[in-house]
Amino acid sequence: MKDYRSLWKKPHLVAAVMAGTAGVLAAAALGYALLGLGAPVSAAGAAGQVQEGPVEGYGAADHQNDEDTLSFRLNASPEFEKGGKNGGFYLENPRENRYDLQADIELEDGTVVYTSPVLEPDSHIDTVDLDKELEDGTYPAQARLFAVNPESGVIVGYVLQPIELRIGNTD
């Protein structure tokens, strides 16, 4: 388990949330468009499987981020089947990033319910299974997105993105 107290937060990476927020909104719209409101999530690959390229329906940027910018794309309202299975997280590390990307999903109390594999630039994950089973309901949470130096594997900073988990029947 990660000890977040030993990490430092790079304030200028927080500014990069603006780029990520656009991606979050776009990914949420994509999820609803592809899946339909309330429809079960279907995966192109196995849950948690890293795939090359951007999330389906999105193009890659034609620029390279500087070392103080972290772009990302994710679904801000992923829907999961009963127990937290097969949720449309749509986490993407765009090719313009200089850093690898790793994400944790944390509940409000700090409990980490999912940890992604490290994603190299120009890769993504469509669906995930939570690491901890949750009862049906809606859970306010956050994604902690780590910028990881691809050469050393050292975390150089992170940004926080509010999300809402929807588990099972939330009607």
Side-chain angles (χ1 to χ4, degrees), residues 75-80 87-89 105 163-167:
N75 182 353
S77 300
E79 294 185 25
F80 293 83
F89 193 42
I105 298 175
I163 61 174
E164 182 178 78
L165 306 178
R166 298 169 188 212
I167 311 296

Side-chain angles (χ1 to χ4, degrees), residues 19 25 28-29 32 37 41-42 46 49 54 62 68 71 76 84 96 106-107 111 116 127-128 133 141 168-169:
L25 297 175
Y32 283 111
L37 277 171
V41 176
S42 62
Q49 179 181 355
D62 59 358
D68 294 333
S71 299
E96 67 262 23
E106 303 173 357
L107 300 179
T111 301
S116 77
T127 60
V128 302
E133 189 170 318
N169 186 2

Side-chain angles (χ1 to χ4, degrees), residues 3-14 67-68 99 144-147 149 154-159:
D3 181 4
Y4 298 121
R5 293 172 300 218
S6 68
L7 300 175
W8 55 277
K9 188 172 183 177
K10 223 176 185 182
H12 45 278
L13 277 179
V14 175
E67 65 184 26
D68 294 333
Y99 300 109
R144 187 178 299 258
L145 299 136
F146 297 96
N149 181 308
V154 172
I155 295 171
V156 297
Y158 66 90
V159 295

